[in-house]
Structures are given as structure tokens and as C-alpha cells.
Amino acid sequence: MTFAKRFKEIRRRSGLTQAQLSDKSGVPQTTISGIENGGKIPNYFNARKLAEALGIDMNDFAEKEVIK
């Protein structure tokens, strides 16, 4: 799963719209939209703000593989 899809999935599961996440995180809605459309990767500071607003650890943005 791409970063953009993972980010969008996390945001949707949180029950927040892009605008609500923007208000809660202080990250512009245009940046959030750009991330979800695959055109932008957030810098460290925005990723931290977004993770805090979503109530997750920044590592949750990373794709995790399960080894069986």
C-alpha cells in the first residue's frame, strides 16, 4: 500500500475530514489533500503534527510487513 493510501485510510478511520484534520493539526488542508493524492510527502514536522492529531505514532504511517 502506498503512503498516500495508508495516510488516507488512517484519516478516514479516525473519522476526520481533511478540513477537520487541518484544523486539529495546523497543517494546511491543501497539504493534506496533496499527501492523499500522492503528490506530496510530509516533512518531519508536518508528519509529527498529523500523527499527533490522529492519535497515532509516526511509525504507523510506515508500511509494516508481517513475517510468518
Side-chain angles (χ1 to χ4, degrees):
M1 179 181 295
T2 66
F3 178 83
K5 286 182 181 179
R6 180 173 303 286
F7 178 79
K8 189 173 188 175
E9 180 181 307
I10 292 169
R11 177 187 59 79
R12 284 186 172 170
R13 275 195 260 149
S14 75
L16 297 172
T17 64
Q18 288 182 0
Q20 290 168 327
L21 180 56
S22 175
D23 289 342
K24 193 171 180 179
S25 67
V27 175
Q29 188 272 329
T30 54
T31 299
I32 294 169
S33 177
I35 293 167
E36 290 187 3
N37 290 320
K40 292 186 178 189
I41 299 292
N43 63 31
Y44 172 81
F45 299 104
N46 281 344
R48 193 170 85 183
K49 289 178 186 178
L50 291 165
E52 287 177 10
L54 292 165
I56 62 170
D57 185 275
M58 279 184 21
N59 291 325
D60 292 337
F61 288 137
E63 186 165 1
K64 297 176 182 157
E65 294 184 30
V66 176
I67 301 172
K68 293 184 180 184

